[in-house]
């Protein structure tokens, strides 16, 4: 098993890990010949992240070799990985080359980072960080499955996540639960309420792009009988009909930490079931990858 690459886009890699670090203490990273997948599937409260990032969006001189179809899957601590990438970030150290590779230290597997840089005095320096890892067995990797969800009732482009985050931070003082509503006429609404106060924030003229094929393939699998599906289809055709899902405010804020990497974000509401959010990385003309968040619905008592 061999793996070695140069991290070309250190800042984006750091921001990706910084986002998942706020979700859980460990994550799974699966490297293949063409893509890197970051998976968070055990967060308390049910939020999951499944991502796919093109190799050429982050790395150069990429070499991988294994007996499992040239795939290597690692379980590793997000805080240690975030620390290593923060040190490697050009905005912190002036690094001009960052090499990431599999290695062994004291006979234990590590993901090793070698950071080559230059001081302000012009002296060349090398900094090393080792992140302890667990190499997952193929049988355990095969058990990793992405959530299966019903067909979304509505899809809508979200406004800039940083602005939404500021709004939701204030709503958190009102309620532990927030309602996310949207319709096919471009209306998006966030609502939080108590017994005496209710707050509604509404955006209009939001666009309705279709999600990419990879995302669409995940939005299925719900068990809905034929009459229920016909009713849902009639509701979808009514452009003024608002579809809604209740989610924990804390979970929604964790998703909004992705504002550091988001260029475009599409929300899919599966009414009464879940909220699916596709955070696209890179410019629309050259999408480098996507972070897919699954936030389960809170039962409305």
């Amino acid at each position: 098993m061999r793996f070695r690459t140069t991290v070309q886009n250190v800042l984006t890699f750091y921001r990706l890990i910084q986002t998942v670090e706020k979700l859980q203490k460990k994550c799974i990273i699966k490297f293949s010949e063409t893509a890197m997948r970051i998976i968070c599937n055990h967060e308390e409260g049910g939020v999951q992240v499944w991502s796919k990032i093109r190799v050429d969006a982050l790395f150069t001189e990429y070499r991988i070799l294994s007996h499992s179809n040239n795939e290597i899957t690692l379980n590793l601590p997000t805080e240690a990985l975030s620390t290593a990438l923060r040190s490697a970030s050009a905005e912190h150290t002036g690094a001009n080359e960052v090499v990431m590779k599999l290695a062994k230290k004291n006979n234990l597997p590590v993901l090793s980072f070698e950071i080559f840089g230059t001081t302000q005095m012009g002296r060349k320096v090398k900094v090393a960080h080792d992140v302890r890892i667990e190499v997952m067995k193929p049988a355990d990797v095969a058990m990793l499955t992405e959530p299966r969800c019903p067909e979304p009732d509505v899809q809508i482009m979200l406004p800039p996540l940083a602005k939404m985050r500021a709004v939701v931070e204030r709503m958190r003082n009102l309620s532990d639960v927030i309602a996310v509503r949207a319709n096919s006429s471009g209306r998006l609404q966030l609502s939080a309420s108590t017994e005496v106060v209710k707050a509604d924030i509404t955006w209009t003229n939001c666009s309705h792009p279709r999600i990419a094929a990879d995302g669409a393939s995940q939005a299925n699998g719900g068990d809905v009988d034929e009459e229920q599906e016909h009713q849902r289809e009639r509701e979808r055709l009514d452009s003024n009909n608002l579809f809604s899902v209740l989610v924990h405010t804390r979970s929604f804020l964790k998703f909004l930490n992705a504002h550091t990497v988001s260029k475009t974000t599409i929300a899919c509401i599966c009414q009464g079931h879940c909220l699916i959010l596709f955070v696209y990385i890179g410019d629309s003309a050259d999408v480098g990858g996507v972070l897919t968040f699954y936030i389960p619905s809170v039962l409305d008592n």
Side-chain angles (χ1 to χ4, degrees):
M1 182 181 297
R2 298 179 185 276
F3 177 74
R4 180 187 175 97
T5 186
T6 297
V7 185
Q8 183 71 21
N9 199 337
V10 180
L11 188 56
T12 297
F13 195 7
Y14 169 56
R15 287 173 174 171
L16 284 168
I17 299 303
Q18 195 178 34
T19 298
V20 300
E21 181 190 1
K22 293 177 171 62
L23 207 64
Q24 64 182 47
K25 294 181 179 179
K26 283 194 170 185
C27 71
I28 295 169
I29 299 184
K30 182 177 182 179
F31 295 102
S32 69
E33 292 177 325
T34 58
M36 177 184 73
R37 290 172 170 82
I38 303 173
I39 302 169
C40 297
N41 62 342
H42 293 295
E43 197 266 343
E44 184 179 352
V47 182
Q48 295 193 37
V49 175
W50 293 73
S51 65
K52 181 178 181 181
I53 298 97
R54 291 197 332 257
V55 161
D56 61 5
L58 296 178
F59 310 117
T60 60
E61 300 177 16
Y62 186 89
R63 298 191 293 274
I64 185 169
L65 181 66
S66 80
H67 294 300
S68 301
N69 298 317
N70 289 337
E71 294 180 348
I72 299 173
T73 306
L74 311 176
N75 195 330
L76 69 171
T78 52
E79 182 179 3
L81 181 56
S82 179
T83 298
L85 289 167
R86 183 168 62 249
S87 296
S89 172
E91 70 177 7
H92 289 86
T93 65
N96 49 45
E97 184 181 13
V98 179
V99 175
M100 180 176 68
K101 61 183 180 180
L102 282 182
K104 278 195 174 183
K105 296 293 174 69
N106 299 321
N107 208 34
L108 295 172
V110 297
L111 189 62
S112 178
F113 290 84
E114 295 178 347
I115 306 162
F116 302 90
T118 306
T119 67
Q120 292 182 347
M121 302 298 293
R123 184 168 60 90
K124 293 183 178 180
V125 294
K126 175 184 174 182
V127 180
H129 283 272
D130 294 325
V131 179
R132 285 280 304 274
I133 60 173
E134 173 194 350
V135 180
M136 295 182 64
K137 299 177 181 177
D140 294 330
V141 175
M143 294 177 64
L144 297 173
T145 55
E146 199 161 348
R148 295 178 63 81
C149 305
E151 185 72 22
D153 294 292
V154 66
Q155 303 171 18
I156 195 164
M157 183 89 75
L158 296 187
L161 298 190
K163 293 182 178 180
M164 291 191 73
R165 190 172 186 271
V167 169
V168 177
E169 282 283 4
R170 295 181 180 181
M171 287 181 145
R172 180 169 58 175
N173 298 325
L174 284 179
S175 176
D176 293 333
V177 175
I178 192 168
V180 183
R181 302 187 181 97
N183 64 18
S184 56
S185 291
R187 184 180 178 190
L188 172 69
Q189 184 181 79
L190 301 181
S191 298
S193 62
T194 67
E195 293 181 356
V196 294
V197 179
K198 182 179 180 181
D200 291 332
I201 306 296
T202 302
W203 289 266
T204 57
N205 299 319
C206 298
S207 60
H208 289 270
R210 299 297 298 175
I211 58 176
D214 283 351
S217 67
Q218 299 303 322
N220 54 41
D223 294 325
V224 181
D225 65 35
E226 188 173 350
E227 179 55 35
Q228 286 178 317
E229 184 55 40
H230 286 164
Q231 175 62 28
R232 291 171 78 112
E233 187 60 31
R234 287 192 291 270
E235 292 173 349
R236 292 186 191 114
L237 292 173
D238 181 357
S239 63
N240 294 315
N241 186 58
L242 281 170
F243 294 95
S244 177
V245 64
L246 293 174
V247 297
H248 287 293
T249 309
R250 178 171 171 266
S251 297
F252 198 60
L253 278 170
K254 286 187 175 184
F255 146 70
L256 289 170
N257 286 319
H259 73 89
T260 58
V261 294
S262 169
K263 296 290 185 181
T264 300
T265 303
I266 299 173
C268 299
I269 294 177
C270 303
Q271 182 160 279
H273 187 88
C274 69
L275 181 63
I276 309 172
L277 301 130
F278 298 93
V279 179
Y280 291 91
I281 302 160
D283 297 324
S284 58
D286 184 27
V287 175
V290 60
L291 288 170
T292 305
F293 288 77
Y294 295 89
I295 305 180
S297 173
V298 177
L299 295 179
D300 187 3
N301 295 323

